[in-house]
Amino acid sequence: MACLSPSQLQKFQEDGFLVLEGFLSADECVAMQQRIGELVADMDVPIHCRIEFSTQEEEQLRSQGKKDYFLSSGDKIRFFFEKGVFDEKGNFLVPPEKSINKIGHALHAHDPVFRHVTHSPKVQALAKSLGLQMPVVVQSMYIFKQPHFGGEVSPHQDSTFLYTEPLGRVLGMWIALEDATLENGCLWFIPGSHTGGVSRRMVRAFAGLKLNTRFLGSEPVWDDSLFVPTPVQRGALILIHGEVVHKSEQNLSDRSRHAYTFHLMESLGTMWSLENWLQPTAELPFPPLYT
């Protein structure tokens, strides 16, 4: 079982992230990649729903933040694309399977392969060793980081988008399904940055009767020298505190960097913000991790 040692737990508490190499086997990684290949092969996204995914604030609000396809994706499996892969009419300029940025946000609920991984005994044991008593799964994503143009992810805190009161109740589990290197866009962290609160929040807003989003606060300009690169091998899991600042660079290499990531929330004594873009539904409440 994947229980943390006291020294690992201390390091996670100090840094806000922790690498666990060899969490999944190569066969387990391949099974997830094969399943995602099947989902992509069956993908059928109407032109009016094709959204270019971005982490730049203005582009986020203009594309994802105003599109029902994105804002209603919390209980579905939906497809989001890289910038520059469509012509002016929304047709693909590159093969569709090479154009995808990510798939979200409920693979953990609707696909048996990803549900099995998310609720696996290894994940449950890891969560218990972190002291989580009643964790629920709030979202999941498959991230492609395509060769040559996989987009950068700008510095951010996950709790900007998944805000709770009190803070410190959101945990990301990021699993490398391919080697994540300096060349193809590994994660970078600012150690210890999870102790300073949340500088920016994405919240629901309405323009008339239409659901929209906006940001409260602003992201600081982070000193690049503070970031530590975190390359990992296929099968590694990175624990990510909800308030730790992290990023990844654009993938300019000829190798993709597939990853599966999901977020847990300790539900005991926690209030999920009603202003978050992502909300549980009657059809899909946040499922308990421990089943």
Side-chain angles (χ1 to χ4, degrees):
M1 292 298 175
C3 295
L4 296 183
S5 67
S7 61
Q8 288 176 315
L9 183 58
Q10 180 180 354
K11 184 167 179 57
F12 175 67
Q13 292 169 341
E14 291 175 351
D15 292 345
F17 68 99
L18 180 70
V19 174
L20 301 174
E21 290 282 5
F23 188 81
L24 292 187
S25 68
D27 288 345
E28 288 173 312
C29 294
V30 168
M32 298 171 76
Q33 289 181 285
Q34 289 177 339
R35 177 57 187 148
I36 217 71
E38 295 169 357
L39 291 175
V40 171
D42 293 336
M43 175 181 65
D44 183 16
V45 181
I47 286 180
H48 70 279
C49 293
R50 294 176 183 174
I51 296 174
E52 294 182 348
F53 187 82
S54 171
T55 61
Q56 301 300 318
E57 183 168 315
E58 290 185 4
E59 294 175 346
Q60 276 185 319
L61 295 179
R62 186 172 62 249
S63 54
Q64 301 102 271
K66 294 183 179 180
K67 299 291 188 179
D68 289 340
Y69 184 81
F70 178 85
L71 293 173
S72 64
S73 66
D75 61 351
K76 302 175 184 68
I77 297 176
R78 287 185 167 170
F79 303 83
F80 306 96
F81 301 91
E82 293 288 355
K83 292 193 295 183
V85 299
F86 301 123
D87 65 17
E88 67 278 1
K89 296 181 179 179
N91 298 306
F92 287 103
L93 295 170
V94 297
E97 68 275 10
K98 298 295 185 183
S99 68
I100 302 176
N101 175 289
K102 72 173 188 176
I103 298 176
H105 289 93
L107 286 161
H108 64 277
H110 293 306
D111 187 88
V113 172
F114 290 92
R115 182 168 58 244
H116 175 75
V117 171
T118 305
H119 293 273
S120 68
K122 285 189 287 192
V123 169
Q124 293 184 6
L126 179 56
K128 288 177 180 177
S129 72
L130 284 160
L132 300 183
Q133 298 181 59
M134 296 176 60
V136 294
V137 188
V138 298
Q139 73 163 8
S140 55
M141 297 178 287
Y142 191 101
I143 304 169
F144 291 80
K145 206 74 164 179
Q146 300 283 2
H148 304 300
F149 58 86
E152 71 168 320
V153 176
S154 57
H156 68 284
Q157 300 166 289
D158 291 342
S159 290
T160 287
F161 310 96
L162 310 172
Y163 186 80
T164 63
E165 294 180 358
L167 289 171
R169 302 304 180 95
V170 170
L171 173 71
M173 293 196 177
W174 190 97
I175 303 172
L177 303 181
E178 297 178 314
D179 291 350
T181 67
L182 290 171
E183 293 73 30
N184 70 0
C186 70
L187 299 182
W188 296 63
F189 294 89
I190 299 181
S193 57
H194 60 301
T195 61
V198 173
S199 57
R200 184 177 64 133
R201 289 179 57 197
M202 176 188 256
V203 299
R204 288 175 165 236
F206 284 88
L209 297 177
K210 186 172 177 58
L211 180 61
N212 210 324
T213 57
R214 63 190 178 98
F215 281 102
L216 301 177
S218 58
E219 194 71 32
V221 178
W222 299 101
D223 183 346
D224 276 345
S225 67
L226 298 175
F227 285 91
V228 174
T230 312
V232 294
Q233 295 182 335
R234 167 188 252 182
L237 182 146
I238 304 179
L239 291 174
I240 303 176
H241 190 285
E243 282 90 72
V244 73
V245 178
H246 57 291
K247 67 174 184 175
S248 66
E249 303 294 343
Q250 184 176 2
N251 182 6
L252 299 177
S253 77
D254 59 1
R255 298 177 59 192
S256 58
R257 192 224 64 188
H258 288 199
Y260 175 58
T261 182
F262 57 94
H263 286 88
L264 305 178
M265 178 186 72
E266 171 57 81
S267 64
L268 184 64
T270 306
M271 180 183 297
W272 179 260
S273 175
L274 296 177
E275 293 182 316
N276 286 338
W277 77 270
L278 174 67
Q279 294 295 323
T281 64
E283 294 76 19
L284 184 64
F286 293 152
L289 178 67
Y290 306 144
T291 56

